[in-house]
Amino acid sequence: MMKFGSKNSANTPIKCTIRLLDDNQLLYSEFQINEKGSSLISRICEQLDLIEKDYFGLRYVDSKRQRHWLEPSKSIFKQIRDMEADNILFSFRVKFYPPNPFRLKEDITRYQIYLQLKRDLLHGRLYCNTSEAALLGAYILQAELGDFNPEEHIDNYVNELKILLKQTLQLEEKIMDIHKNELKGKTAAEMETIFLKKACILDTYGVDPHAVKDQRGNQLYLGINHTGILTFQGSKKMNHFSWSQVQKINFEGKMFIIHIILNEDQRIKKKQTIGFKCPRGSSCRHVWKCAVEQMLFFTFPSSSDVPNVVSGGGFFSWGTKFKYSGRVEREILEDMSITRESPSVTRVGSLRRKSSSEPPTPSNLVINQVAGFNSLPRSLTNTSEEYNTSIDSSNQIDNSSVLETLLEDQEIMTSKIEQEVHHEEILNDHLLIDFTTMGTDGSPLIQSISNQQSGQKHLETTAIRNSESSLSFLRQTLLPVIFALFMMVLIIIIILESDFDVIATIRKAPEIAAFKKNYYEPSKDFLLRRFIRSKIF
């Protein structure tokens, strides 16, 4: 077992899997112990031929089932140290949805935005009414399947595909009617453009809903995007606090707090504080970080102007400090350094069938090593809960239903299934036969070479993780206690030794005098004899 900080442990690469937006590809990669998140994100974007990488990020789920964005400026290992070494999974996602996708410089970046919005529509995050859902579904159908073909597209051919979260028979018929009669001759690129124009004007564009409760205990969903902070109750948008109104964002425990300024008229400004209760302290911290990042990215003129932000501190805790890393949107839009010819977009049809909803897993695939990655295109054999969200086609559409979201547990279930299958495959591959080593009878000796190496790496990583956990405990628990004791001793010394008149009055109190005589003076004499006078003599 290797100790934390040793030379060998620092050079031990840690394997991870990255799931891409189209769900048809996974990337295998490795990172070093001290490598920062920005390095891994850059490598993935380079593999995908993306230059406008600032809009994207990596998301992961920790051991407490809480989602996080991988912070670019921090060590990857320190952020995911409580995850199992063999089951590190990141999801490549759009982190900052551009207000206008058509201001992006390259089509390949817009295609990634399209894939993200297609996922949002399927999982209920891009919420819309029946007519809008039918249009968006038909656009996807035309982009993926092409023109309506009566020989191929027979009966209810949409029923086998998963496009929307709630896919009823009535809605499927409307999608097929639009696909058949209104979109003939449209190419995939044209349909993606029309889809983006429609999706980016919806209220829920770029919104990843967070479950919260208001001061009355009503269940709400909090959404954060380029426009500001929105609240939804059911399918109805309740409030919209634009970034120009938001003065400050902080959190205390489970409470997410927004300080806003309302302009009642041109001369009167009213300050108001609004709080929302999150399920857990960790989820509240995540909401706060998301809100701060979105606000800084879309409102500041330059990344050099962005300050460090601290919130959630108390007497026994240091609080949460957030340091923004990367460029802001204005810098990206004003960047004229992109002069290359826009690369071609490779489109892969990724419509899933209802009978196949298990996420892609790294089994039975040819691995091609490219720039530190193993690119793994695969067919879909899905059975996960993440995609099993359709309802019976006999149900009728209900526009008053609540805002449907992909719950954290569903995403976590998908991650766990992928990780378990991946781990199972690794274990099966551990036992290798080395035919170069022969026994005395000429038969090959079976050696568990890969198993030993993998086991050694696992022990090394576990040792490092345990050391990191110990350091985390010292930082979060022991250091605040030591600081509190130090301050208490300092206050006692000031009260009993200083000559200020105000403190002299306090010192005359009977309790203080008794404490000084019975405890302080004996302790003081002992320390003087033990550490000072012994050195003099």
Side-chain angles (χ1 to χ4, degrees), residues 397-412:
I397 300 170
D398 183 9
N399 285 330
S400 63
S401 62
V402 299
L403 177 65
E404 298 290 348
T405 63
L406 173 63
L407 300 179
E408 290 180 5
D409 289 348
Q410 293 173 315
E411 265 195 325
I412 293 161

Side-chain angles (χ1 to χ4, degrees), residues 51-75:
I51 292 182
E52 298 169 286
K53 60 184 179 181
D54 303 86
Y55 293 98
F56 303 94
L58 293 176
R59 196 162 62 187
Y60 66 95
V61 181
D62 65 17
S63 60
K64 297 180 181 177
R65 301 161 67 95
Q66 175 60 48
R67 290 187 298 174
H68 301 274
W69 286 103
L70 187 68
E71 295 190 34
S73 60
K74 292 185 178 180
S75 164

Side-chain angles (χ1 to χ4, degrees), residues 302-534:
S302 171
S303 55
S304 59
D305 299 329
V306 175
N308 293 338
V309 185
V310 180
S311 182
F315 187 76
F316 290 102
S317 64
W318 303 112
T320 299
K321 183 178 180 180
F322 177 77
K323 183 178 181 180
Y324 183 82
S325 176
R327 299 186 297 176
V328 297
E329 189 201 23
R330 184 175 296 181
E331 290 175 320
I332 301 169
L333 296 177
E334 294 176 354
D335 183 10
M336 306 305 294
S337 62
I338 301 178
T339 57
R340 70 172 184 177
E341 185 178 349
S342 183
S344 60
V345 178
T346 303
R347 296 175 171 83
V348 180
S350 57
L351 279 179
R352 292 182 293 274
R353 297 185 179 276
K354 291 183 179 179
S355 58
S356 303
S357 55
E358 181 184 332
T361 55
S363 59
N364 301 324
L365 295 167
V366 178
I367 299 175
N368 297 317
Q369 187 75 21
V370 181
F373 285 93
N374 294 326
S375 182
L376 303 176
R378 70 208 60 234
S379 59
L380 292 167
T381 55
N382 304 334
T383 58
S384 155
E385 188 177 341
E386 178 178 1
Y387 307 119
N388 189 18
T389 51
S390 62
I391 61 174
D392 190 271
S393 59
S394 61
N395 293 344
Q396 297 300 315
I397 300 170
D398 183 9
N399 285 330
S400 63
S401 62
V402 299
L403 177 65
E404 298 290 348
T405 63
L406 173 63
L407 300 179
E408 290 180 5
D409 289 348
Q410 293 173 315
E411 265 195 325
I412 293 161
M413 181 66 69
T414 302
S415 301
K416 287 184 178 296
I417 291 174
E418 290 186 18
Q419 292 167 358
E420 287 169 6
V421 175
H422 181 203
H423 182 63
E424 209 171 45
E425 182 186 346
I426 291 173
L427 292 179
N428 292 336
D429 290 339
H430 279 170
L431 188 62
L432 298 181
I433 299 177
D434 185 358
F435 287 97
T436 62
T437 306
M438 308 300 293
T440 56
D441 58 351
S443 60
L445 295 177
I446 300 177
Q447 299 181 351
S448 303
I449 298 173
S450 294
N451 193 20
Q452 293 172 1
Q453 293 175 350
S454 178
Q456 182 182 1
K457 288 183 179 180
H458 180 74
L459 291 175
E460 293 170 359
T461 308
T462 303
I464 297 168
R465 181 171 288 109
N466 291 338
S467 301
E468 282 286 329
S469 300
S470 301
L471 291 174
S472 178
F473 172 78
L474 289 175
R475 286 195 298 267
Q476 297 178 8
T477 306
L478 192 57
L479 289 179
V481 172
I482 293 173
F483 178 75
L485 291 175
F486 173 77
M487 293 300 298
M488 190 180 300
V489 171
L490 184 63
I491 292 171
I492 291 173
I493 293 173
I494 292 173
I495 292 175
L496 298 181
E497 297 291 344
S498 62
D499 297 329
F500 295 111
D501 294 336
V502 176
I503 296 178
T505 305
I506 297 174
R507 199 161 48 236
K508 291 179 182 178
E511 295 83 358
I512 302 297
F515 175 80
K516 181 178 181 181
K517 180 179 179 181
N518 297 329
Y519 299 100
Y520 180 75
E521 292 293 349
S523 301
K524 178 181 176 182
D525 292 339
F526 170 77
L527 293 174
L528 289 174
R529 288 196 307 269
R530 181 70 178 81
F531 296 104
I532 299 179
R533 292 175 184 174
S534 61

Side-chain angles (χ1 to χ4, degrees), residues 26 40 93 108 193 199-200 247 290 391 426 485 494 507 523:
L26 299 180
L40 182 59
R93 299 288 180 261
I108 195 169
T193 298
C200 70
Q247 183 184 31
C290 290
I391 61 174
I426 291 173
L485 291 175
I494 292 173
R507 199 161 48 236
S523 301

